[in-house]
Amino acid sequence: MPATPDDLFGFLDRLGIAHPTVAHPPLFTVEQSRALRGQIPGGHSKNLFLKDKRGDLYLVSALEDAAIELKSLHRRLGAGGRFSFGSAELMRETLGVEPGAVTPFGALNDTAGRVTVVLDAALMAHPVLNFHPLVNTMTTSIARHDLIRFLTETGHQPRIAPVSGEGAAA
């Protein structure tokens, strides 16, 4: 069984990581998130679950309004060919989340270490970051250094790279 939000919060508590969380109606798109999130401070994310031609899996987290050029992103990240979106089944299998709830917190479920986590450099410029805590009915805030610590503790050393904007030109 994949981890639940309570499992995630317990893991964060054991690490001493603060994780203020706001409950809200289900959100499936960035547009819905903007309309319903209220005044949650920090960088708000969009998260892409991608698969390259070799079958390697990537979770790319960027600012919600980031322009990401998928046609050239594989070159920037040194992937094995162009990216396509990973299937919902593969997402459930590796990250334990449903479409609309993709999040770096899903690394908790990827015990086999199949997914490479990439954090956009522009996202990491924000001291506080916001992600769904494995479900799209809540938003959890986490300090950027604590996100890196969380990912490292799950066996996912994140890559911080410019994947959006001018610094991402391939």
Side-chain angles (χ1 to χ4, degrees):
M1 287 294 295
T4 66
D6 285 339
D7 296 331
L8 169 66
F9 300 149
F11 187 83
L12 293 171
D13 287 343
R14 285 189 296 281
L15 295 174
I17 293 175
H19 53 87
T21 300
V22 175
H24 49 66
L27 303 175
F28 296 95
T29 66
V30 168
E31 291 74 27
Q32 290 172 336
S33 295
R34 278 193 199 111
L36 294 177
R37 77 165 166 259
Q39 296 299 315
I40 300 171
H44 292 270
S45 65
K46 69 176 166 187
N47 299 280
L48 308 175
F49 181 63
L50 305 171
K51 182 173 121 175
D52 71 11
K53 294 286 184 191
R54 286 190 305 231
D56 294 333
L57 304 176
Y58 291 78
L59 172 68
V60 176
S61 296
L63 288 171
E64 65 185 352
D65 57 357
I68 298 174
E69 182 56 57
L70 282 181
K71 290 179 186 173
S72 61
L73 183 60
H74 68 284
R75 287 191 296 274
R76 171 148 302 276
L77 298 180
R82 285 199 173 178
F83 285 121
S84 61
F85 288 100
S87 69
E89 180 180 327
L90 191 56
M91 184 185 309
R92 283 183 207 101
E93 177 187 321
T94 55
L95 297 177
V97 298
E98 295 294 325
V102 179
T103 172
F105 292 133
L108 186 62
N109 289 312
D110 181 30
T111 56
R114 293 177 58 193
V115 180
T116 298
V117 178
V118 180
L119 305 172
D120 187 20
L123 175 72
M124 296 306 287
H126 291 265
V128 175
L129 306 171
N130 296 289
F131 303 99
H132 290 310
L134 307 174
V135 295
N136 65 353
T137 56
M138 293 183 265
T139 298
T140 295
S141 301
I142 187 170
R144 69 177 166 226
H145 65 275
D146 285 336
L147 175 64
I148 293 170
R149 182 164 169 237
F150 163 79
L151 290 166
T152 301
E153 290 288 334
T154 66
H156 297 79
Q157 184 61 47
R159 290 178 56 186
I160 300 172
V163 297
S164 67
E166 293 179 23

